[in-house]
Amino acid sequence: MRPPFDCADPVIRERGLSAAHNAVKRGEVVVLPTDTVYGIGADAFNPAAVKRLLEAKGRGRDMPPPVLVPETRTIDGLASSIPFAVRELIDAFWPGALTIVCRAQPSLTWDLGETNGTVALRMPLHPVALELLGRTGPLAVSSANKSGHPAATLVPEAVEQLGESVRVYLDGGPSPKGAPSTIVDASNGPLRVLRVGAISEAELRAAVPKGWVELDEPAEVEPPAEGSEPSPTTSG
């Protein structure tokens, strides 16, 4: 296994981004820094690559990965029936630590797992992640850890857990937030917070006051555990 690419060095960073881009094109998996925790990523439109990602984590198709995007307008190609409140959330918090579960475009030829027609989308606020996404396009990205273990906030932690299953590791230093993204479900009616992470529910509601499930309305789903990734099968 080749050592991680130190992205603090501009020359090594370019080499690492090029190596990661090529690995993604070949259907391999890579580890990249994000603004929340480190992620393990693969070509979202390559079912074999997504399968490798899930196998590296020790997960099945019942826990499909979210998709990271390089820019806000990408959401229109990946999601359908986007409510105005979602666009307000995107304006307020993207790029950033907010994952939004939407209805997926039915024409997309991808296989992320058992998504029930939804997709979890996020635009990260990290220069290395955004530069890689700008080269590869949307990536299926889950937290860089074995299922059930803590998410990696340093690249050595990711290496220890994932080892040879990852082709390229991009080392961006310590994760800026060290906490998972907050997850909002917008796939089925009013907005619902599925997991509170780096952004609080109060911050969300302050930025977008309307369009939410009433606070006293009982939840219909159990939110993912802290540190886990969103499942696009979850709907409120």
Side-chain angles (χ1 to χ4, degrees):
M1 184 183 71
R2 71 173 75 184
F5 290 89
D6 180 4
C7 294
D9 183 311
V11 174
I12 298 177
R13 170 173 166 164
E14 176 56 34
R15 291 174 182 167
L17 287 166
S18 179
H21 181 201
N22 289 332
V24 168
K25 288 195 299 183
R26 293 193 300 268
E28 297 173 314
V29 297
V30 302
V31 160
L32 62 151
T34 80
D35 50 332
T36 55
V37 296
Y38 273 82
I40 177 173
D43 183 354
F45 294 93
N46 184 330
V50 174
K51 181 181 178 182
R52 290 188 186 98
L53 183 159
L54 294 174
E55 289 174 345
K57 285 182 60 74
R59 282 186 171 179
R61 287 175 50 81
D62 59 323
M63 300 185 75
V67 173
L68 297 191
V69 298
E71 52 190 1
T72 59
R73 64 181 180 181
T74 308
I75 190 173
D76 291 298
L78 303 180
S80 64
S81 304
I82 303 169
F84 180 70
V86 167
R87 299 198 184 273
E88 290 184 305
L89 285 174
I90 289 172
D91 288 342
F93 296 104
W94 279 17
L98 177 64
T99 298
I100 306 174
V101 182
C102 300
R103 302 306 304 178
Q105 284 284 3
S107 60
L108 290 174
T109 57
W110 61 8
D111 183 5
L112 298 171
E114 297 172 10
T115 64
N116 289 339
T118 66
V119 60
L121 299 169
R122 184 166 87 88
M123 181 183 177
L125 181 57
H126 194 287
V128 175
L130 289 173
E131 189 166 353
L132 179 61
L133 289 162
R135 300 184 186 197
T136 63
L139 292 176
V141 178
S142 184
S143 55
N145 59 282
K146 287 289 187 181
S147 186
H149 292 259
T153 58
L154 297 167
V155 84
E157 297 171 354
V159 172
E160 181 179 0
Q161 295 192 55
L162 301 172
E164 297 282 352
S165 63
V166 172
R167 180 63 175 172
V168 174
Y169 288 88
L170 298 177
D171 186 352
S175 299
K177 295 188 181 298
S181 65
T182 294
I183 309 166
V184 169
D185 181 14
S187 66
N188 186 23
L191 305 178
R192 185 190 301 277
V193 176
L194 298 184
R195 180 182 72 193
V196 175
I199 300 171
S200 70
E201 183 166 356
E203 290 176 290
L204 296 172
R205 288 179 176 264
V208 182
K210 297 181 179 180
W212 297 90
V213 167
E214 293 302 321
L215 290 173
D216 59 353
E217 183 174 332
E220 299 174 6
V221 297
E222 181 180 352
E226 182 69 18
S228 67
E229 287 294 336
S231 170
T233 62
T234 303
S235 63

